[in-house]
Amino acid sequence: MAGRAAEPGARVRALAPDTPELVHNYGSLSLHELRAREFRRLAGTVYLDHAGATLFPQSQLTNFTEDLMNNVYGNPHSQNISSKLTHDTVEQVRYRILAHFHTSPEDYSVIFTAGCTAALKLVAETFPWESQGPASGGSHFCYLTDSHTSVVGMRKAITAVNVTSTPVTPEDLRESSAAVSDPDCQLPHLFCYPAQSNFSGTRYPLCWITEVQAGQRCPVNTPGKWFVLLDAACYVSTSSLDLSAHPADFVPISFYKIFGFPTGLGALLVSKRVAPLLRKTYFGGGTAAAYLVGEDFYIPRHSVAERFEDGTISFLDVIAVKHGFDALERLTGGMENIKQHTFSLARYTYTALSSLRYPNGAPVVRLYTDTEFSSPEVQGPIINFNVLDDRGNVVGYSQVDKMACLHNIHLRTGCFCNTGACQRHLQISNNMVKKHHQAGHVCGDDVDLIDGQPTGSVRISFGYMSTLEDAQALLSFITATWLHSSKGHPARVAAPLGVQDVAMVQEGCDLSPQEGSLPDSRLPMDPATPVSVLGPSSAEAGPALQTPSEGAAGVPDGGLGTHVVTNIYLYPIKSCAAFEVTSWPIGKQGLLYDRSWMVVNHNGICLSQKQEPRLCLIQPCIDLKQRIMVIKAKGMEPIEVPLEENSEQGRICQSKVCADRVNTYDCGEKISNWLSKFFGRPCHLIKQSSSFQRNAKVKHGKDQFPATTATLSLVNEAQYLLVNQSSVWELQQQLSTSDENGKEELFPMKDLISRFRANIITNGTKPFEEEKWDGISVGSLHFQVLGPCHRCQMICIDQKTGQRNQDVFQKLSETRKRKVNFGVYLMHTSVDLSSPCFLSVGSKVFPVLKENVEHADLPASEKHQDILS
């Protein structure tokens, strides 16, 4: 059960890369040929979230598109030729679905829904519940605790009709016995359980269906007639379900889990045994045989499907399902082949993960499973785990996810919409769940550890196109990140992962996928010389970036030391290169024109360096005198963009930044063509509209500066980001390697600073002292410290080349623990912009400690004169 790990020295079966059990071919088509032909988009990507959504093959989409282009499909509720074609095709798909589940229209009906969740909701609303009363305990709704949120959510609709809902643990159901015998009691009860846990991949016995229906195994000891809802969405993605042998009364499914496409379409398979009992109230278009407007007269259609499919179904998506079946059978030969292939990959990976040990013998992962992966009858192709450090502490799932992204490994983290299984395996009590919510944790966020305890875990899952290389890439990533990163120790494996794998691990090789290099033609130009607001300046215009000496890394306890602004950067175009200045105006939203523009794709979605690292090679420079921004990139002619919009020519559009809707305008076709040529795909440059105000979400404590309304540009979190050179210097020392000649500087200070994309750099006196500040004063300007900056994978991108290197993020992850924080967010307070305000290099910075707020009121004589008003 929870927290299973292999015993030290446990013998693990070796599976070499040429093991027949693993290298599965679908008929005459090898798996590598399948990937090359149908999934070229996966090149360089390790996709391990098939339980979330599997991937569609290229031929499925091609054939579906050709079908739509060659046929006219009309609304199936009409009577014309095109509508008749649609109706007949939809009915044929219904037959195809039933045949896939080894049943027929004589036993089941297929009701198309918007997905599995909609199918569950339909059952909750139409099941023939009997309310509690003086003479009857009423119906019961029971569900396994290892159930998806959408199943547990049924209880809300059921409680509304005064029906009892009871969660049942897997252990209690296994030990349950026959119900109280009362042949005369026909009270309808419903039991719901998943064929496969979406959390751990545990496959529950399908024999429970007939046992519960027959009263031989009862979730609660009460007389009545039991019906069974089998949540099959996760199970049928990689296995065949035979409804002739396991005749569940309700079976909800989602087709994207099986085919990858279409999304937003599911079905409820309803047994003819229970269909006549369902009670439907609302009726929509296409469901009525007859009705009157003026009186309560309504006759439903006879067909179960027509009665329950309100309005026009998504008939083109239904046609896409037909092509999904075609592709799946043509490429794999059927679900039995898929089941064997995916389970073999999962067992190999589980075995290898169980064997990984730190040099001190501690396990590298904690596995959450109820099985030993002995058979696909009891275990699906899902592995759930948390990574541990060498002391046994859990590494937060958010941190693991960020590191995996650096290796282009796509996995799933959190509780996977299955709180019951998450609580059981991670040993999280009900009170802890409530406390986690009070602490700010909500489902789907990145709050992965609270008081050192995990709030969720990491899940990987395999699909029919998954390969042994995918599994080995994950193992290599974990080995390289947690075994090789700590103190240079080689990996210790309790038994071989495979002959070649072990040899490479012992030699200290990094088995992770290698990042591709950028073409030389796209290397950046030399960094621009820092400029002042008055124009270009010489190198002597401001103090050079200073590297703190080892002796200057700290000051006596209690002292704040002397702090000076050493560098100022703005980023006119979000995620593009920095523009360094020595003096610059302050605007309402921060440094004037900082992140006022951003690059979006053809759908208007903001591009960041996480998706497009080459953004850092785009170099914007602002000329305030000429009121233009000049944009440069190697291999491209410079292009000019006006600083202010032309209200008559600018096309207004909307976009999103960190869940905030922002009003912007398109900067024109000329710059769009320039960007599209550079990136090799359609792009646009948009600018935040000057008439649009985006307010910051700022909480004001009792000891903070007076509350103000902070307005933001296109930044993620706050108006300013400050980084302390002393903090960077400490990180640089940790990143440096020792050799026979002494320490080698891998990351020059200025290059390292550029990765953190801060606006204000101070010389500092102590590493990370800025995290203890409540605010700072720079001359007449006061800044409130809003909190630390939680770092993502962007700090792994070299801002000169656009190439990725995970060392920086990995080292911060090791040394900062928990959240990878670096730098602090600032918001200016009480700014009088009636006359120009400037921030300048060389200005003194006066910090205000969190426990010493009175330092905010500084004598006028101490206010630095480099701030001009």
Side-chain angles (χ1 to χ4, degrees), residues 533 541-543 564-565 568 582-586 778-781 836-846 861-869:
V533 69
V564 174
V565 175
I568 300 171
T582 58
S583 182
W584 198 255
I586 298 294
V778 184
S780 61
L781 285 174
C837 273
F838 294 85
L839 181 63
S840 300
V841 168
S843 302
K844 288 185 179 179
V845 177
F846 297 95
S861 61
E862 291 187 26
K863 293 179 180 178
H864 200 275
Q865 299 304 310
D866 279 353
I867 299 297
L868 309 174
S869 297

PDB file of all heavy atoms in Angstrom, residues 533 541-543 564-565 568 582-586 778-781 836-846 861-869:
ATOM      1  N   VAL A 533      18.856  57.643 -19.530  1.00  0.00           N
ATOM      2  CA  VAL A 533      17.657  58.182 -20.161  1.00  0.00           C
ATOM      3  C   VAL A 533      17.996  59.286 -21.150  1.00  0.00           C
ATOM      4  O   VAL A 533      17.253  59.568 -22.075  1.00  0.00           O
ATOM      5  CB  VAL A 533      16.683  58.691 -19.077  1.00  0.00           C
ATOM      6  CG1 VAL A 533      17.250  59.921 -18.388  1.00  0.00           C
ATOM      7  CG2 VAL A 533      15.328  58.997 -19.690  1.00  0.00           C
ATOM      8  N   ALA A 541      29.930  55.537 -17.142  1.00  0.00           N
ATOM      9  CA  ALA A 541      28.731  56.255 -16.716  1.00  0.00           C
ATOM     10  C   ALA A 541      28.204  55.737 -15.389  1.00  0.00           C
ATOM     11  O   ALA A 541      27.613  56.461 -14.627  1.00  0.00           O
ATOM     12  CB  ALA A 541      27.646  56.131 -17.782  1.00  0.00           C
ATOM     13  N   GLY A 542      28.399  54.472 -15.111  1.00  0.00           N
ATOM     14  CA  GLY A 542      27.938  53.909 -13.852  1.00  0.00           C
ATOM     15  C   GLY A 542      28.949  52.915 -13.345  1.00  0.00           C
ATOM     16  O   GLY A 542      29.814  52.469 -14.085  1.00  0.00           O
ATOM     17  N   PRO A 543      28.850  52.531 -12.092  1.00  0.00           N
ATOM     18  CA  PRO A 543      29.794  51.569 -11.535  1.00  0.00           C
ATOM     19  C   PRO A 543      29.656  50.222 -12.224  1.00  0.00           C
ATOM     20  O   PRO A 543      28.570  49.801 -12.576  1.00  0.00           O
ATOM     21  CB  PRO A 543      29.392  51.482 -10.053  1.00  0.00           C
ATOM     22  CG  PRO A 543      27.974  51.958 -10.005  1.00  0.00           C
ATOM     23  CD  PRO A 543      27.832  52.959 -11.104  1.00  0.00           C
ATOM     24  N   VAL A 564      23.830  49.466  -2.613  1.00  0.00           N
ATOM     25  CA  VAL A 564      23.819  50.415  -3.726  1.00  0.00           C
ATOM     26  C   VAL A 564      23.221  49.728  -4.947  1.00  0.00           C
ATOM     27  O   VAL A 564      23.438  48.527  -5.163  1.00  0.00           O
ATOM     28  CB  VAL A 564      25.257  50.915  -4.044  1.00  0.00           C
ATOM     29  CG1 VAL A 564      25.272  51.792  -5.301  1.00  0.00           C
ATOM     30  CG2 VAL A 564      25.839  51.684  -2.862  1.00  0.00           C
ATOM     31  N   VAL A 565      22.465  50.489  -5.735  1.00  0.00           N
ATOM     32  CA  VAL A 565      21.963  49.970  -7.007  1.00  0.00           C
ATOM     33  C   VAL A 565      23.146  49.880  -7.970  1.00  0.00           C
ATOM     34  O   VAL A 565      23.767  50.895  -8.291  1.00  0.00           O
ATOM     35  CB  VAL A 565      20.861  50.876  -7.582  1.00  0.00           C
ATOM     36  CG1 VAL A 565      20.436  50.385  -8.973  1.00  0.00           C
ATOM     37  CG2 VAL A 565      19.663  50.926  -6.649  1.00  0.00           C
ATOM     38  N   ILE A 568      20.569  48.395 -13.585  1.00  0.00           N
ATOM     39  CA  ILE A 568      19.132  48.534 -13.839  1.00  0.00           C
ATOM     40  C   ILE A 568      18.834  47.922 -15.204  1.00  0.00           C
ATOM     41  O   ILE A 568      19.508  48.243 -16.198  1.00  0.00           O
ATOM     42  CB  ILE A 568      18.683  50.012 -13.815  1.00  0.00           C
ATOM     43  CG1 ILE A 568      18.979  50.643 -12.447  1.00  0.00           C
ATOM     44  CG2 ILE A 568      17.198  50.135 -14.151  1.00  0.00           C
ATOM     45  CD1 ILE A 568      18.755  52.147 -12.409  1.00  0.00           C
ATOM     46  N   THR A 582      21.529  53.145 -17.187  1.00  0.00           N
ATOM     47  CA  THR A 582      22.138  53.676 -15.970  1.00  0.00           C
ATOM     48  C   THR A 582      21.203  54.622 -15.233  1.00  0.00           C
ATOM     49  O   THR A 582      21.374  54.870 -14.042  1.00  0.00           O
ATOM     50  CB  THR A 582      23.441  54.422 -16.299  1.00  0.00           C
ATOM     51  OG1 THR A 582      23.169  55.466 -17.226  1.00  0.00           O
ATOM     52  CG2 THR A 582      24.469  53.464 -16.877  1.00  0.00           C
ATOM     53  N   SER A 583      20.209  55.135 -15.924  1.00  0.00           N
ATOM     54  CA  SER A 583      19.199  55.995 -15.313  1.00  0.00           C
ATOM     55  C   SER A 583      17.938  55.876 -16.155  1.00  0.00           C
ATOM     56  O   SER A 583      18.015  55.926 -17.392  1.00  0.00           O
ATOM     57  CB  SER A 583      19.680  57.451 -15.266  1.00  0.00           C
ATOM     58  OG  SER A 583      18.721  58.276 -14.637  1.00  0.00           O
ATOM     59  N   TRP A 584      16.788  55.733 -15.479  1.00  0.00           N
ATOM     60  CA  TRP A 584      15.570  55.491 -16.256  1.00  0.00           C
ATOM     61  C   TRP A 584      14.345  56.009 -15.512  1.00  0.00           C
ATOM     62  O   TRP A 584      14.277  55.959 -14.285  1.00  0.00           O
ATOM     63  CB  TRP A 584      15.416  53.994 -16.524  1.00  0.00           C
ATOM     64  CG  TRP A 584      14.472  53.703 -17.658  1.00  0.00           C
ATOM     65  CD1 TRP A 584      13.202  53.238 -17.566  1.00  0.00           C
ATOM     66  CD2 TRP A 584      14.723  53.894 -19.045  1.00  0.00           C
ATOM     67  NE1 TRP A 584      12.647  53.121 -18.812  1.00  0.00           N
ATOM     68  CE2 TRP A 584      13.561  53.507 -19.742  1.00  0.00           C
ATOM     69  CE3 TRP A 584      15.831  54.353 -19.769  1.00  0.00           C
ATOM     70  CZ2 TRP A 584      13.468  53.573 -21.132  1.00  0.00           C
ATOM     71  CZ3 TRP A 584      15.742  54.411 -21.148  1.00  0.00           C
ATOM     72  CH2 TRP A 584      14.574  54.016 -21.828  1.00  0.00           C
ATOM     73  N   PRO A 585      13.342  56.500 -16.262  1.00  0.00           N
ATOM     74  CA  PRO A 585      12.144  57.047 -15.614  1.00  0.00           C
ATOM     75  C   PRO A 585      11.283  55.963 -14.961  1.00  0.00           C
ATOM     76  O   PRO A 585      11.232  54.824 -15.422  1.00  0.00           O
ATOM     77  CB  PRO A 585      11.374  57.698 -16.768  1.00  0.00           C
ATOM     78  CG  PRO A 585      12.279  57.692 -17.949  1.00  0.00           C
ATOM     79  CD  PRO A 585      13.305  56.666 -17.728  1.00  0.00           C
ATOM     80  N   ILE A 586      10.606  56.372 -13.902  1.00  0.00           N
ATOM     81  CA  ILE A 586       9.633  55.524 -13.231  1.00  0.00           C
ATOM     82  C   ILE A 586       8.248  55.860 -13.781  1.00  0.00           C
ATOM     83  O   ILE A 586       7.875  57.034 -13.902  1.00  0.00           O
ATOM     84  CB  ILE A 586       9.651  55.771 -11.709  1.00  0.00           C
ATOM     85  CG1 ILE A 586      11.021  55.418 -11.125  1.00  0.00           C
ATOM     86  CG2 ILE A 586       8.544  54.983 -11.014  1.00  0.00           C
ATOM     87  CD1 ILE A 586      11.359  53.962 -11.206  1.00  0.00           C
ATOM     88  N   VAL A 778      14.802  54.171  -1.715  1.00  0.00           N
ATOM     89  CA  VAL A 778      15.865  54.653  -2.595  1.00  0.00           C
ATOM     90  C   VAL A 778      15.559  56.121  -2.841  1.00  0.00           C
ATOM     91  O   VAL A 778      14.709  56.471  -3.662  1.00  0.00           O
ATOM     92  CB  VAL A 778      15.901  53.873  -3.924  1.00  0.00           C
ATOM     93  CG1 VAL A 778      17.085  54.328  -4.775  1.00  0.00           C
ATOM     94  CG2 VAL A 778      15.972  52.377  -3.686  1.00  0.00           C
ATOM     95  N   GLY A 779      16.240  56.989  -2.077  1.00  0.00           N
ATOM     96  CA  GLY A 779      15.915  58.406  -2.159  1.00  0.00           C
ATOM     97  C   GLY A 779      14.486  58.641  -1.716  1.00  0.00           C
ATOM     98  O   GLY A 779      14.055  58.169  -0.672  1.00  0.00           O
ATOM     99  N   SER A 780      13.734  59.346  -2.522  1.00  0.00           N
ATOM    100  CA  SER A 780      12.349  59.671  -2.163  1.00  0.00           C
ATOM    101  C   SER A 780      11.383  58.546  -2.520  1.00  0.00           C
ATOM    102  O   SER A 780      10.189  58.627  -2.237  1.00  0.00           O
ATOM    103  CB  SER A 780      11.921  60.952  -2.880  1.00  0.00           C
ATOM    104  OG  SER A 780      11.985  60.777  -4.283  1.00  0.00           O
ATOM    105  N   LEU A 781      11.888  57.496  -3.134  1.00  0.00           N
ATOM    106  CA  LEU A 781      11.027  56.374  -3.519  1.00  0.00           C
ATOM    107  C   LEU A 781      11.010  55.314  -2.427  1.00  0.00           C
ATOM    108  O   LEU A 781      12.056  54.952  -1.880  1.00  0.00           O
ATOM    109  CB  LEU A 781      11.528  55.741  -4.822  1.00  0.00           C
ATOM    110  CG  LEU A 781      11.261  56.511  -6.117  1.00  0.00           C
ATOM    111  CD1 LEU A 781      11.942  55.810  -7.275  1.00  0.00           C
ATOM    112  CD2 LEU A 781       9.770  56.621  -6.374  1.00  0.00           C
ATOM    113  N   PRO A 836       8.728  64.208 -13.474  1.00  0.00           N
ATOM    114  CA  PRO A 836       9.491  62.986 -13.771  1.00  0.00           C
ATOM    115  C   PRO A 836      10.285  62.469 -12.573  1.00  0.00           C
ATOM    116  O   PRO A 836      10.871  63.243 -11.819  1.00  0.00           O
ATOM    117  CB  PRO A 836      10.424  63.426 -14.900  1.00  0.00           C
ATOM    118  CG  PRO A 836       9.750  64.606 -15.517  1.00  0.00           C
ATOM    119  CD  PRO A 836       9.053  65.311 -14.388  1.00  0.00           C
ATOM    120  N   CYS A 837      10.261  61.156 -12.399  1.00  0.00           N
ATOM    121  CA  CYS A 837      11.068  60.476 -11.383  1.00  0.00           C
ATOM    122  C   CYS A 837      12.000  59.507 -12.086  1.00  0.00           C
ATOM    123  O   CYS A 837      11.591  58.810 -13.010  1.00  0.00           O
ATOM    124  CB  CYS A 837      10.187  59.696 -10.415  1.00  0.00           C
ATOM    125  SG  CYS A 837       9.586  60.643  -9.025  1.00  0.00           S
ATOM    126  N   PHE A 838      13.258  59.451 -11.603  1.00  0.00           N
ATOM    127  CA  PHE A 838      14.246  58.580 -12.228  1.00  0.00           C
ATOM    128  C   PHE A 838      14.888  57.684 -11.186  1.00  0.00           C
ATOM    129  O   PHE A 838      15.132  58.100 -10.054  1.00  0.00           O
ATOM    130  CB  PHE A 838      15.334  59.413 -12.922  1.00  0.00           C
ATOM    131  CG  PHE A 838      14.838  60.200 -14.095  1.00  0.00           C
ATOM    132  CD1 PHE A 838      14.267  61.443 -13.911  1.00  0.00           C
ATOM    133  CD2 PHE A 838      14.941  59.704 -15.380  1.00  0.00           C
ATOM    134  CE1 PHE A 838      13.806  62.175 -14.980  1.00  0.00           C
ATOM    135  CE2 PHE A 838      14.483  60.421 -16.456  1.00  0.00           C
ATOM    136  CZ  PHE A 838      13.908  61.675 -16.275  1.00  0.00           C
ATOM    137  N   LEU A 839      15.184  56.455 -11.601  1.00  0.00           N
ATOM    138  CA  LEU A 839      15.975  55.537 -10.793  1.00  0.00           C
ATOM    139  C   LEU A 839      17.334  55.419 -11.456  1.00  0.00           C
ATOM    140  O   LEU A 839      17.425  55.221 -12.672  1.00  0.00           O
ATOM    141  CB  LEU A 839      15.298  54.161 -10.740  1.00  0.00           C
ATOM    142  CG  LEU A 839      15.998  53.089  -9.908  1.00  0.00           C
ATOM    143  CD1 LEU A 839      16.047  53.486  -8.437  1.00  0.00           C
ATOM    144  CD2 LEU A 839      15.285  51.752 -10.062  1.00  0.00           C
ATOM    145  N   SER A 840      18.410  55.555 -10.658  1.00  0.00           N
ATOM    146  CA  SER A 840      19.748  55.615 -11.225  1.00  0.00           C
ATOM    147  C   SER A 840      20.691  54.617 -10.580  1.00  0.00           C
ATOM    148  O   SER A 840      20.580  54.307  -9.380  1.00  0.00           O
ATOM    149  CB  SER A 840      20.348  57.021 -11.066  1.00  0.00           C
ATOM    150  OG  SER A 840      19.547  57.975 -11.724  1.00  0.00           O
ATOM    151  N   VAL A 841      21.631  54.126 -11.373  1.00  0.00           N
ATOM    152  CA  VAL A 841      22.727  53.308 -10.865  1.00  0.00           C
ATOM    153  C   VAL A 841      23.569  54.160  -9.919  1.00  0.00           C
ATOM    154  O   VAL A 841      23.826  55.332 -10.193  1.00  0.00           O
ATOM    155  CB  VAL A 841      23.578  52.770 -12.036  1.00  0.00           C
ATOM    156  CG1 VAL A 841      24.884  52.173 -11.521  1.00  0.00           C
ATOM    157  CG2 VAL A 841      22.799  51.737 -12.844  1.00  0.00           C
ATOM    158  N   GLY A 842      23.993  53.582  -8.820  1.00  0.00           N
ATOM    159  CA  GLY A 842      24.784  54.308  -7.826  1.00  0.00           C
ATOM    160  C   GLY A 842      23.953  54.818  -6.674  1.00  0.00           C
ATOM    161  O   GLY A 842      24.513  55.259  -5.657  1.00  0.00           O
ATOM    162  N   SER A 843      22.632  54.763  -6.782  1.00  0.00           N
ATOM    163  CA  SER A 843      21.762  55.228  -5.693  1.00  0.00           C
ATOM    164  C   SER A 843      21.887  54.304  -4.494  1.00  0.00           C
ATOM    165  O   SER A 843      21.988  53.080  -4.641  1.00  0.00           O
ATOM    166  CB  SER A 843      20.303  55.256  -6.153  1.00  0.00           C
ATOM    167  OG  SER A 843      20.147  56.088  -7.281  1.00  0.00           O
ATOM    168  N   LYS A 844      21.880  54.901  -3.305  1.00  0.00           N
ATOM    169  CA  LYS A 844      21.928  54.113  -2.082  1.00  0.00           C
ATOM    170  C   LYS A 844      20.565  53.491  -1.810  1.00  0.00           C
ATOM    171  O   LYS A 844      19.523  54.080  -2.060  1.00  0.00           O
ATOM    172  CB  LYS A 844      22.355  54.974  -0.899  1.00  0.00           C
ATOM    173  CG  LYS A 844      23.822  55.366  -0.930  1.00  0.00           C
ATOM    174  CD  LYS A 844      24.216  56.119   0.338  1.00  0.00           C
ATOM    175  CE  LYS A 844      25.704  56.488   0.305  1.00  0.00           C
ATOM    176  NZ  LYS A 844      26.083  57.240   1.528  1.00  0.00           N
ATOM    177  N   VAL A 845      20.622  52.256  -1.276  1.00  0.00           N
ATOM    178  CA  VAL A 845      19.406  51.515  -0.959  1.00  0.00           C
ATOM    179  C   VAL A 845      19.350  51.325   0.551  1.00  0.00           C
ATOM    180  O   VAL A 845      20.308  50.835   1.163  1.00  0.00           O
ATOM    181  CB  VAL A 845      19.408  50.136  -1.666  1.00  0.00           C
ATOM    182  CG1 VAL A 845      18.177  49.334  -1.286  1.00  0.00           C
ATOM    183  CG2 VAL A 845      19.480  50.308  -3.174  1.00  0.00           C
ATOM    184  N   PHE A 846      18.220  51.725   1.163  1.00  0.00           N
ATOM    185  CA  PHE A 846      18.051  51.590   2.602  1.00  0.00           C
ATOM    186  C   PHE A 846      16.974  50.548   2.885  1.00  0.00           C
ATOM    187  O   PHE A 846      15.788  50.817   2.729  1.00  0.00           O
ATOM    188  CB  PHE A 846      17.659  52.935   3.224  1.00  0.00           C
ATOM    189  CG  PHE A 846      18.724  53.990   3.056  1.00  0.00           C
ATOM    190  CD1 PHE A 846      18.671  54.885   1.995  1.00  0.00           C
ATOM    191  CD2 PHE A 846      19.789  54.075   3.948  1.00  0.00           C
ATOM    192  CE1 PHE A 846      19.643  55.845   1.829  1.00  0.00           C
ATOM    193  CE2 PHE A 846      20.767  55.040   3.781  1.00  0.00           C
ATOM    194  CZ  PHE A 846      20.702  55.927   2.718  1.00  0.00           C
ATOM    195  N   SER A 861      18.321  64.034   5.085  1.00  0.00           N
ATOM    196  CA  SER A 861      19.718  64.132   4.683  1.00  0.00           C
ATOM    197  C   SER A 861      20.247  62.834   4.109  1.00  0.00           C
ATOM    198  O   SER A 861      21.247  62.836   3.397  1.00  0.00           O
ATOM    199  CB  SER A 861      20.571  64.545   5.897  1.00  0.00           C
ATOM    200  OG  SER A 861      20.455  63.569   6.920  1.00  0.00           O
ATOM    201  N   GLU A 862      19.599  61.691   4.458  1.00  0.00           N
ATOM    202  CA  GLU A 862      20.079  60.409   3.979  1.00  0.00           C
ATOM    203  C   GLU A 862      19.478  60.025   2.637  1.00  0.00           C
ATOM    204  O   GLU A 862      19.847  59.016   2.055  1.00  0.00           O
ATOM    205  CB  GLU A 862      19.764  59.315   5.012  1.00  0.00           C
ATOM    206  CG  GLU A 862      20.585  59.445   6.283  1.00  0.00           C
ATOM    207  CD  GLU A 862      20.375  58.258   7.199  1.00  0.00           C
ATOM    208  OE1 GLU A 862      20.025  57.173   6.672  1.00  0.00           O
ATOM    209  OE2 GLU A 862      20.554  58.393   8.404  1.00  0.00           O
ATOM    210  N   LYS A 863      18.517  60.812   2.180  1.00  0.00           N
ATOM    211  CA  LYS A 863      17.893  60.472   0.910  1.00  0.00           C
ATOM    212  C   LYS A 863      18.819  60.848  -0.231  1.00  0.00           C
ATOM    213  O   LYS A 863      19.230  61.984  -0.377  1.00  0.00           O
ATOM    214  CB  LYS A 863      16.549  61.195   0.779  1.00  0.00           C
ATOM    215  CG  LYS A 863      15.533  60.668   1.795  1.00  0.00           C
ATOM    216  CD  LYS A 863      14.200  61.379   1.697  1.00  0.00           C
ATOM    217  CE  LYS A 863      13.229  60.826   2.732  1.00  0.00           C
ATOM    218  NZ  LYS A 863      11.940  61.523   2.716  1.00  0.00           N
ATOM    219  N   HIS A 864      19.137  59.868  -1.045  1.00  0.00           N
ATOM    220  CA  HIS A 864      20.139  60.039  -2.095  1.00  0.00           C
ATOM    221  C   HIS A 864      19.640  60.974  -3.182  1.00  0.00           C
ATOM    222  O   HIS A 864      18.477  60.929  -3.567  1.00  0.00           O
ATOM    223  CB  HIS A 864      20.502  58.671  -2.684  1.00  0.00           C
ATOM    224  CG  HIS A 864      21.807  58.687  -3.400  1.00  0.00           C
ATOM    225  ND1 HIS A 864      21.946  59.059  -4.702  1.00  0.00           N
ATOM    226  CD2 HIS A 864      23.053  58.361  -2.955  1.00  0.00           C
ATOM    227  CE1 HIS A 864      23.215  58.958  -5.061  1.00  0.00           C
ATOM    228  NE2 HIS A 864      23.909  58.540  -4.015  1.00  0.00           N
ATOM    229  N   GLN A 865      20.503  61.808  -3.676  1.00  0.00           N
ATOM    230  CA  GLN A 865      20.114  62.823  -4.638  1.00  0.00           C
ATOM    231  C   GLN A 865      20.078  62.319  -6.075  1.00  0.00           C
ATOM    232  O   GLN A 865      19.723  63.071  -6.979  1.00  0.00           O
ATOM    233  CB  GLN A 865      21.091  64.021  -4.540  1.00  0.00           C
ATOM    234  CG  GLN A 865      21.079  64.676  -3.173  1.00  0.00           C
ATOM    235  CD  GLN A 865      19.688  65.129  -2.776  1.00  0.00           C
ATOM    236  OE1 GLN A 865      19.028  65.801  -3.554  1.00  0.00           O
ATOM    237  NE2 GLN A 865      19.236  64.742  -1.584  1.00  0.00           N
ATOM    238  N   ASP A 866      20.458  61.054  -6.302  1.00  0.00           N
ATOM    239  CA  ASP A 866      20.415  60.532  -7.668  1.00  0.00           C
ATOM    240  C   ASP A 866      19.000  60.248  -8.137  1.00  0.00           C
ATOM    241  O   ASP A 866      18.779  59.916  -9.292  1.00  0.00           O
ATOM    242  CB  ASP A 866      21.256  59.260  -7.785  1.00  0.00           C
ATOM    243  CG  ASP A 866      22.722  59.612  -7.933  1.00  0.00           C
ATOM    244  OD1 ASP A 866      23.000  60.811  -8.075  1.00  0.00           O
ATOM    245  OD2 ASP A 866      23.555  58.687  -7.903  1.00  0.00           O
ATOM    246  N   ILE A 867      18.030  60.331  -7.206  1.00  0.00           N
ATOM    247  CA  ILE A 867      16.638  60.218  -7.608  1.00  0.00           C
ATOM    248  C   ILE A 867      16.154  61.631  -7.896  1.00  0.00           C
ATOM    249  O   ILE A 867      16.081  62.460  -7.011  1.00  0.00           O
ATOM    250  CB  ILE A 867      15.788  59.572  -6.505  1.00  0.00           C
ATOM    251  CG1 ILE A 867      16.289  58.163  -6.217  1.00  0.00           C
ATOM    252  CG2 ILE A 867      14.330  59.533  -6.901  1.00  0.00           C
ATOM    253  CD1 ILE A 867      16.151  57.247  -7.411  1.00  0.00           C
ATOM    254  N   LEU A 868      15.848  61.921  -9.143  1.00  0.00           N
ATOM    255  CA  LEU A 868      15.486  63.267  -9.561  1.00  0.00           C
ATOM    256  C   LEU A 868      13.979  63.421  -9.660  1.00  0.00           C
ATOM    257  O   LEU A 868      13.306  62.580 -10.224  1.00  0.00           O
ATOM    258  CB  LEU A 868      16.115  63.572 -10.928  1.00  0.00           C
ATOM    259  CG  LEU A 868      17.618  63.291 -11.051  1.00  0.00           C
ATOM    260  CD1 LEU A 868      18.055  63.492 -12.486  1.00  0.00           C
ATOM    261  CD2 LEU A 868      18.396  64.191 -10.112  1.00  0.00           C
ATOM    262  N   SER A 869      13.436  64.483  -9.098  1.00  0.00           N
ATOM    263  CA  SER A 869      12.000  64.733  -9.211  1.00  0.00           C
ATOM    264  C   SER A 869      11.807  66.163  -9.705  1.00  0.00           C
ATOM    265  O   SER A 869      12.439  67.070  -9.199  1.00  0.00           O
ATOM    266  CB  SER A 869      11.301  64.569  -7.866  1.00  0.00           C
ATOM    267  OG  SER A 869      11.421  63.242  -7.409  1.00  0.00           O
TER     268      SER A 869
END
